[in-house]
Amino acid sequence: MTGPGVSVVICAYTEDRWEDVRAAVSSVRAQARPALETLLVVDHNPALLERLAGEYRGAGDVRVLANAGPRGLSAGRNTGIAASRGEVVAFLDDDAVAERDWLRRFAEAYADPRVLAVGGRTVPVWASGRRPAWFPEEFDWVVGCTYRGLPPGRVRVRNVLGGNASFRRTAFDAAGGFATGIGRDGDRRPLGCEETELCIRLTRARPDAVLLIDDRAVIHHRVPRARERFGYFRVRAYAEGLSKALVARSVGAAKGLESERRYATRVLPAGVARGLRDALLGRPGGAGRAGAIVAGVLTAAGGYAVGSLRARRGGARFHVAPLAAAAPEREAGAVRDEATDQEVSA
């Protein structure tokens, strides 16, 4: 095998996704270009930690770890980074499966030493069996998937999308890990943007860095029925606005909203026009898609306004924690669950 060794980190938090986690691990084990290792990081759930430790005991290519930081996806990823051995660290959602060439496409891009991050394409798998007629492709980021408006092929981008992404280890040496206090925290409000903030911080630390998305590095992401509903759509859009306000406060609105301006001024108006045209032609869902785009924009803008106000008042903060040593691997029957206080203000 040529090219960099790749460690894959999968963060899990609930036993409700047991079969999904097992499918994610199986898809990594089936890669045409094998991973160096798979690290399962469990977010403050002793029962799940115990169960996974038993499931993969004796598997030399899978390691099960407890999140060594505060609760949440960012700290879980940082735990995986600290414990990993690969020159490249890739991240896969716990409810997604990767196509066979996923890691091979990532590794090919790292042949260029300037490349410090590579993301891929995430395809939704709707629990109902098909996309809801009203759900616009321009808002597939709501369910953690690649959305209409991203350029095709292997292209340079401001940031990769966290559920299907990889970073060269030296990226974390230069910029630190994922910020905590932003992004997902189990089933609480569905915040995001932790990978956006990290990528902007990385390019500030390394102005020569190249960040790519290769749409041939494909994963399939399960979308449960609860996330096919308009209520979740609105909640997620609002949470995205809150998250964007945090990022803009940290890195400045010019950089923090650079990609969003093109998206809002070009991609979304085209989506509204497409939906209205479909409605006039009698195609199902056209008016609903146009309306959802408008509602999504207004809701995200409201979240951004609230988040900006909180930030100005000092009520919204996130932290960049040092990548401390990860918690040791857990054997079943020897489970510990605790948070760390090793955080410093960004």
Side-chain angles (χ1 to χ4, degrees):
M1 180 178 67
T2 60
V6 182
S7 297
V8 177
V9 174
I10 301 172
C11 296
Y13 71 97
T14 175
E15 288 187 89
D16 294 342
R17 292 184 177 180
W18 175 257
E19 293 301 331
D20 293 329
V21 174
R22 293 180 71 244
V25 173
S26 294
S27 74
V28 175
R29 291 175 129 177
Q31 289 295 298
R33 186 189 192 282
L36 181 66
E37 59 187 348
T38 300
L39 295 98
L40 282 172
V41 182
V42 180
D43 191 18
H44 298 270
N45 185 331
L48 178 59
L49 182 65
E50 179 95 10
R51 191 176 178 188
L52 285 171
E55 177 75 9
Y56 294 106
R57 184 179 289 112
D61 60 335
V62 180
R63 299 159 61 194
V64 180
L65 307 170
N67 179 0
R71 189 182 300 275
L73 180 58
S74 290
R77 286 173 172 167
N78 290 341
T79 296
I81 295 164
S84 63
R85 297 181 289 114
E87 181 184 341
V88 169
V89 183
F91 300 93
L92 179 66
D93 277 348
D94 64 341
D95 53 355
V97 293
E99 291 192 0
R100 184 170 168 78
D101 285 335
W102 179 58
L103 291 182
R104 183 169 71 86
R105 297 302 184 185
F106 281 172
E108 288 172 352
Y110 286 108
D112 182 344
R114 300 173 302 161
V115 173
L116 295 188
V118 185
R121 177 162 58 96
T122 302
V123 179
V125 179
W126 304 95
S128 61
R130 59 185 301 179
R131 172 186 297 275
W134 63 268
F135 202 113
E137 292 182 39
E138 291 82 0
F139 272 77
D140 276 6
W141 55 263
V142 164
V143 291
C145 295
T146 301
Y147 54 90
R148 183 194 291 266
L150 287 177
R154 183 192 286 175
V155 293
R156 193 165 182 172
V157 292
R158 179 195 65 179
N159 64 274
V160 296
L161 305 179
N164 179 9
S166 63
F167 293 84
R168 204 184 290 273
R169 177 169 298 281
T170 53
F172 303 114
D173 296 336
F178 289 92
T180 59
I182 185 173
R184 294 281 178 149
D185 182 0
D187 287 320
R188 299 182 184 180
R189 177 173 284 166
L191 300 171
C193 294
E194 64 273 21
E195 67 279 353
T196 301
E197 190 277 334
L198 171 60
C199 289
I200 294 172
R201 190 165 13 105
L202 172 59
T203 52
R204 283 186 165 183
R206 288 282 305 273
D208 60 329
V210 173
L211 284 62
L212 302 172
I213 284 182
D214 187 337
D215 65 5
R216 298 170 300 172
V218 180
I219 70 169
H220 298 265
H221 185 270
R222 190 174 67 84
V223 181
R225 287 185 182 273
R227 297 186 182 183
E228 296 184 7
R229 299 170 184 159
F230 186 67
Y232 179 82
F233 179 92
R234 291 178 64 250
V235 168
R236 178 68 185 91
Y238 180 79
E240 185 73 1
L242 291 175
S243 301
K244 293 294 185 190
L246 271 176
V247 172
R249 175 176 179 258
S250 173
V251 303
K255 194 67 177 177
L257 300 178
E258 180 180 48
S259 297
E260 288 74 13
R261 289 191 180 92
R262 176 188 173 277
Y263 173 73
T265 58
R266 298 183 185 180
V267 175
L268 294 185
V272 171
R274 193 178 302 110
L276 293 176
R277 180 200 63 197
D278 287 348
L280 290 173
L281 294 174
R283 295 170 182 167
R289 289 192 297 275
I293 291 173
V294 174
V297 170
L298 293 176
T299 305
Y304 183 84
V306 171
S308 298
L309 181 61
R310 289 177 182 173
R312 285 197 297 270
R313 291 176 175 176
R317 301 179 64 195
F318 62 90
H319 307 271
V320 180
L323 291 175
E329 296 170 49
R330 300 297 177 195
E331 294 292 338
V335 176
R336 182 168 61 90
D337 181 35
E338 61 186 17
T340 180
D341 293 320
Q342 298 178 355
E343 285 192 343
V344 295
S345 179

